Amino acid sequence: MVTVFNMPLENKLKILEESVQSHLNAIGQIGRDPIGGWTRLAFSPEEQEAHDYAKKIFEQGGYIIRIDAFGNLIASKEGKNPNKKRVMLGTHLDTVSNGGNYDGVVGFITAVEAVKLAEAEKGQLDYGIDVVIFRAEESTRFKRACLGSSAAFGFLSHADIQNLVYGDEPNLTSLEQAIKENRGDTSKIGTRLIDPLQYFAYLETHIEQADVLTKKGMDIGIVTSIRAPERRKITVRGKNCIRAVAEMVLSVENIATKYAKEEKDIAGTVGKVNGYFDGQLNNINTIPGNVQFQLSKWDDNLREKYNLIAEQRGVKYCMTEENNEYIIGVNGTTDHSGGTPMGFKFRKDALAAACEMILKTDDYALPPQEEITFYTDLRSNDVTTRNLIQREVGSAFDAYATKYNVKVNAFVTEQSEPVKSLDIDLQRRLEESAKQLDLSYMYLPSGAGHDAMKAAQAGIPTVMLFVPSRNGSHNPTEFAENRNIAYAIMVGANFLTNLK
């Protein structure tokens, strides 16, 4: 194999780390949220500003730029051999609400710097390169993930873009409107905007959503498979909907935990709620770290019960009295729903703790509430197992609807196909690069979904690199060391120079 490093390693790393920090500083100025973290939602001005920054960097690097009909940014370089298939490097720059500055951004930095490093070693590569910044990877705004890559590979229909909406009634904005407002061409949605037959490899780099690599002290991770979610919008109506919803939320946690003890590659979360509950409940695929709810009564008996629940779940809570109403604030840990193992020990889920508190509260202390909507996120690497869990959750919801005499309406918002195995040959090539660079590594599955899923399902041989991230992802405290990002750049560059 050809090595990309002719200067001393520390010198190389110093240069790469400086470049990494420069990109992080620049993108970190975009979408800073006053209440914490970064918010660059799909098709927002903030996401566009991040794309504009990427476009500027690509232009400086000599790429040819085009924007496809959905709004994905595609930066291309030609190879020496125009008859050879190309390589795609993919990522995204949108975030969840109050997210971090590494999720997606690390993929952009790694792609740009790895290509630059590979060219510095080898000159023009034999094959063409396309770096694609997909729009709308996160599900926060339209309740469905990986929209840009789905559109690119023909998995998004024209009906989808009409039916997917954000905002509050009556001021709803459809995905179709959003695309048009960003000068996209909705008439082409439903066809393939990118031809997968043009590519012989797809590489995506991402921070790990869990902390396995950090705990094991690994330099990088090589992803073996990608877990995918089924998501449903659940609307509960009736005088007892608060208790019914509390039971339902806990049933999602309990059923997913039961199956996860056997197979581990399973997660179930309620991360978004409208009605009664307040706090960090904006993201379907995020474990809520802060939840508030209201009571009409408060006493020492409730305090004792709540203290015990908080202690058992590892969360904190406080009570604030305002005009004879009592606001309970529960604080846990915000994290990615797919990357965090099930169970109290791992998930400091503020919503689950709040629901358990509600079930310990007497009826007279609960205020009137007749409608609550929430979203379930069930994910697994195996569709059969996921369907089994979904049926059990549905049966539990039906039982609680009967118990509390409420009406339940369930609507499927997303059914993504998992990738049981990424390309084995490309995984081995990443391993060879890591070994040659004397980096520690491990193979591990991805609990979260990625645009790489869509590339693999389109038939492109696909592989992913994980960078260790402290505090997971989808929260303001997610953090990857510049050195670890530099390691991923080196592995990516070595990978690219040795592809044939």
Side-chain angles (χ1 to χ4, degrees):
M1 294 178 69
V2 178
T3 179
V4 295
F5 303 106
N6 295 320
M7 67 171 64
L9 179 59
E10 283 302 317
N11 293 0
K12 181 70 69 175
L13 284 170
K14 182 179 180 181
I15 293 171
L16 292 176
E17 288 180 64
E18 289 174 353
S19 295
V20 167
Q21 192 59 55
S22 175
H23 289 303
L24 288 172
N25 289 344
I27 298 178
Q29 299 302 311
I30 305 170
R32 287 299 296 262
D33 198 307
I35 68 172
W38 287 261
T39 300
R40 297 189 291 264
L41 300 182
F43 287 100
S44 67
E46 292 79 15
E47 187 197 34
Q48 183 59 55
E49 189 177 348
H51 276 234
D52 290 343
Y53 171 78
K55 183 180 177 182
K56 180 184 73 173
I57 296 300
F58 288 136
E59 289 171 342
Q60 291 172 354
Y63 288 82
I64 299 170
I65 309 295
R66 69 182 177 91
I67 311 296
D68 73 13
F70 188 83
N72 299 315
L73 172 60
I74 304 169
S76 302
K77 286 197 171 187
E78 297 309 310
K80 291 179 182 177
N81 185 351
N83 297 319
K84 190 171 182 61
K85 287 189 175 184
R86 306 173 68 81
V87 171
M88 184 186 299
L89 307 177
T91 191
H92 66 99
L93 291 173
D94 63 319
T95 71
V96 297
S97 297
N98 317 118
N101 194 39
Y102 291 83
D103 187 336
V105 174
V106 166
F108 164 72
I109 295 172
T110 305
V112 168
E113 297 300 326
V115 172
K116 184 189 300 184
L117 196 55
E119 290 177 334
E121 167 68 17
K122 201 173 180 180
Q124 185 181 23
L125 298 174
D126 291 336
Y127 50 82
I129 290 275
D130 289 333
V131 182
V132 183
I133 312 297
F134 293 109
R135 279 197 182 270
E137 193 267 359
E138 301 291 0
S139 55
T140 300
R141 205 164 209 186
F142 293 99
K143 314 303 180 290
R144 179 170 161 182
C146 301
L147 292 173
S149 51
S150 293
F153 297 118
F155 299 130
L156 195 68
S157 70
H158 202 269
D160 289 330
I161 66 171
Q162 292 175 321
N163 295 331
L164 293 170
V165 298
Y166 73 88
D168 298 314
E169 294 183 354
N171 300 313
L172 295 175
T173 298
S174 69
L175 178 55
E176 183 177 35
Q177 289 173 274
I179 295 169
K180 288 179 178 178
E181 288 171 3
N182 281 268
R183 300 180 181 178
D185 185 351
T186 58
S187 69
K188 294 182 180 178
I189 304 302
T191 63
R192 283 180 166 173
L193 308 178
I194 295 177
D195 181 5
L197 295 178
Q198 292 183 358
Y199 301 91
F200 73 97
Y202 174 100
L203 171 64
E204 182 173 339
T205 304
H206 206 281
I207 58 170
E208 187 198 358
Q209 282 82 1
D211 59 358
V212 175
L213 296 174
T214 299
K215 286 182 177 177
K216 292 187 178 293
M218 294 292 160
D219 296 324
I220 61 161
I222 300 169
V223 180
T224 56
S225 60
I226 303 176
R227 185 190 293 170
E230 176 175 323
R231 292 169 175 155
R232 298 193 179 199
K233 177 182 179 181
I234 313 294
T235 301
V236 182
R237 297 183 178 91
K239 291 183 178 180
N240 293 315
C241 72
I242 294 177
R243 286 199 186 281
V245 168
E247 296 254 38
M248 292 173 184
V249 169
L250 290 173
S251 73
V252 172
E253 177 188 60
N254 293 336
I255 293 168
T257 299
K258 179 183 72 174
Y259 282 90
K261 287 179 180 178
E262 299 176 0
E263 301 191 25
K264 295 184 180 179
D265 191 33
I266 290 164
T269 308
V270 174
K272 180 174 177 61
V273 185
N274 296 323
Y276 185 61
F277 296 97
D278 199 2
Q280 292 177 336
L281 294 163
N282 300 314
N283 305 314
I284 293 176
N285 54 352
T286 301
I287 299 168
N290 174 278
V291 173
Q292 295 178 347
F293 62 96
Q294 179 183 318
L295 300 177
S296 56
K297 300 289 183 181
W298 179 256
D299 55 34
D300 290 339
N301 183 42
L302 277 179
R303 180 180 288 108
E304 184 176 339
K305 292 177 181 177
Y306 286 15
N307 286 345
L308 180 59
I309 292 169
E311 181 181 354
Q312 290 174 335
R313 286 187 170 269
V315 302
K316 297 180 179 180
Y317 85 97
C318 64
M319 185 278 292
T320 304
E321 184 178 358
E322 298 179 3
N323 300 321
N324 295 321
E325 293 179 342
Y326 303 89
I327 309 299
I328 310 301
V330 184
N331 293 289
T333 300
T334 305
D335 218 333
H336 194 292
S337 59
T340 309
M342 297 303 303
F344 295 177
K345 180 180 178 181
F346 306 104
R347 292 189 164 213
K348 296 182 180 180
D349 188 326
L351 178 61
C355 288
E356 195 168 340
M357 290 173 178
I358 284 167
L359 294 178
K360 294 292 184 180
T361 304
D362 292 330
D363 288 341
Y364 66 80
L366 295 175
Q369 180 79 30
E370 297 202 1
E371 181 174 314
I372 299 176
T373 296
F374 64 95
Y375 292 79
T376 60
D377 180 318
L378 297 175
R379 52 181 75 209
S380 172
N381 268 0
D382 181 71
V383 172
T384 301
T385 302
R386 191 179 69 189
N387 290 343
L388 183 63
I389 297 170
Q390 185 64 70
R391 285 195 296 271
E392 194 165 331
V393 168
S395 296
F397 285 9
D398 289 342
Y400 292 127
T402 300
K403 177 180 177 179
Y404 291 104
N405 192 28
V406 296
K407 292 183 178 180
V408 178
N409 178 262
F411 176 74
V412 177
T413 62
E414 180 174 358
Q415 284 180 319
S416 294
E417 288 292 320
V419 178
K420 285 194 171 185
S421 178
L422 293 171
D423 189 86
I424 299 297
D425 177 63
L426 295 181
Q427 290 180 46
R428 296 294 178 262
R429 288 175 179 269
L430 287 176
E431 180 182 16
E432 289 171 6
S433 293
K435 283 180 176 178
Q436 186 170 3
L437 298 168
D438 199 26
L439 298 176
S440 61
Y441 66 92
M442 66 177 290
Y443 286 91
L444 73 170
S446 172
H450 302 278
D451 292 311
M453 289 190 309
K454 304 303 177 183
Q457 288 158 5
I460 304 174
T462 297
V463 74
M464 285 192 71
L465 268 178
F466 267 172
V467 174
S469 175
R470 294 208 304 265
N471 304 319
S473 70
H474 284 191
N475 67 79
T477 64
E478 66 184 28
F479 178 77
E481 297 280 358
N482 287 353
R483 175 141 301 197
N484 286 115
I485 301 173
Y487 288 153
I489 293 169
M490 293 194 304
V491 172
N494 209 19
F495 174 82
L496 292 173
T497 60
N498 288 286
L499 278 179
K500 299 185 185 299

